Amino acid sequence: RFKCDWSSDVCSSDLWYSSGGASAQTQTGQQACPLGYSCNGGVKTPCNAGTFANVTKMTSCLNCPSGKTSTAGSERAAHY
């Protein structure tokens, strides 16, 4: 299982998620949180409908501005 030493910049925050392997016990690395997702505690979660993540390494998704919407896992908000 991949272990962070938490002194490196790569593993020092929730901006990354664990990857590789078939389970938490066999994870082999860390990846930057991708567009359309938020990452917390090493787990990536797609943004809910009505929210988006337009940059990598987000710890929470942004609410769509008034007059715009999005589907789950969106990278940007779109007009209705």
Side-chain angles (χ1 to χ4, degrees), residues 20-33:
S23 71
Q25 289 70 39
T26 60
Q27 292 164 344
T28 58
Q30 294 272 313
Q31 300 293 318
C33 195

Side-chain angles (χ1 to χ4, degrees), residues 2-57:
F2 179 78
K3 296 274 190 190
C4 289
D5 65 8
W6 302 108
S7 64
S8 73
D9 186 44
V10 170
C11 300
S12 63
S13 71
D14 285 333
L15 308 179
W16 304 81
Y17 71 94
S18 299
S19 63
S23 71
Q25 289 70 39
T26 60
Q27 292 164 344
T28 58
Q30 294 272 313
Q31 300 293 318
C33 195
L35 298 172
Y37 289 81
S38 64
C39 293
N40 290 289
V43 176
K44 73 175 181 176
T45 304
C47 294
N48 292 324
T51 67
F52 66 101
N54 60 348
V55 295
T56 60
K57 302 181 187 174

